[in-house]
Amino acid sequence: MALLSKKGIFKYITYGIGEIILVVIGILIAVSINNKNQERAAQKKLRSYLQVYQQDLQQDTLVVGQVLRYVDDRKEFFKLFLSDTVSAKTYQENRQGYGLILSYSPFELQQKGINLLENYVNDNEVEQDTLISSILANHRIFNNLLNETNQRIGDDIDNNMLYLKENQPWIADLLMGKLTNPDMISYFTSDYYRARLAVHSTLVYGNLEPLLKQIQSTNTETLGLLEKRLNKK
């Protein structure tokens, strides 16, 4: 009886251990499935965020191209009015010269897609992803440089406008397109104005234009990499 009892107990323990092992295996399988589901959901979310960023980048590329064309169209006028031969006749024949240091259309990079990607990286344990790391780093650098450059150009324009407002009574004629005032012509052909024009030209063609070209080049490269990533099956 004792021997039978011991055998029964052994079978019971063996059965119990087997049940525990099955439960543990079941839990591990469930956890694995859940992890894979979460990973698939995370990858799907990341893909949608990359698509939003791709659209933002396409929009930025379009706008940067437009600004570069605008800047390039004005380049010859800066060269013309910074030359030693500029005269009243030069301004009469090229009225664009009056507004070269008084106008600019700043723009900002799109932020929706980059914000989604930053939040995704902060909320998830992302393995080293060179594309996302590059996107975040480039955007941070270019966004800061562009904002600083736009600010400097905007400040220069504000300073130029403030000077005219406080020192030149003919500013009303200038703003209304009445450009025959002899004092106005005298100012725009002076070395003082030429110096202001040179400073503004440096801000635009020494800082802004090279930055825009670098942004455009990087955007084109990144769009190509995004296309490959998003087209992967």
Side-chain angles (χ1 to χ4, degrees), residues 74-107:
R74 289 158 57 96
K75 185 178 294 185
E76 291 303 316
F77 290 109
F78 274 93
K79 290 180 180 179
L80 175 63
F81 291 103
L82 282 170
S83 68
D84 296 331
T85 59
V86 66
S87 64
K89 184 179 180 181
T90 309
Y91 278 94
Q92 290 170 358
E93 295 176 348
N94 304 275
R95 294 196 169 195
Q96 297 92 332
Y98 292 103
L100 288 177
I101 65 173
L102 299 177
S103 62
Y104 170 60
S105 299
F107 73 98

Side-chain angles (χ1 to χ4, degrees), residues 46 52 65 78 138 185 196 210 214 231:
L46 176 58
V52 174
F78 274 93
N138 287 335
I185 302 299
R196 284 180 175 268
Q214 184 59 51
N231 284 338

Side-chain angles (χ1 to χ4, degrees), residues 36-50:
K36 288 182 179 179
N37 287 337
Q38 288 183 342
E39 183 180 349
R40 280 195 292 268
Q43 288 300 316
K44 185 177 181 181
K45 182 181 293 185
L46 176 58
R47 180 181 177 83
S48 69
Y49 291 170
L50 286 172

Side-chain angles (χ1 to χ4, degrees), residues 23-37:
V23 171
V24 171
I25 291 173
I27 292 173
L28 291 176
I29 292 174
V31 169
S32 176
I33 293 173
N34 183 61
N35 288 341
K36 288 182 179 179
N37 287 337

Side-chain angles (χ1 to χ4, degrees), residues 15 34 36 39 42 44 48 57 59 63 70 72 92 100 107 116 125-126 128 143 147 169 185 188 207 209 211 218 223:
Y15 176 79
N34 183 61
K36 288 182 179 179
E39 183 180 349
K44 185 177 181 181
S48 69
L57 206 60
Q59 178 65 25
V63 175
Y70 170 78
D72 189 61
Q92 290 170 358
L100 288 177
F107 73 98
L116 290 172
E125 294 183 4
V126 181
Q128 184 63 26
N143 191 59
N147 288 340
I185 302 299
F188 279 101
N207 295 305
E209 186 182 42
L211 175 59
T218 302
L223 283 170

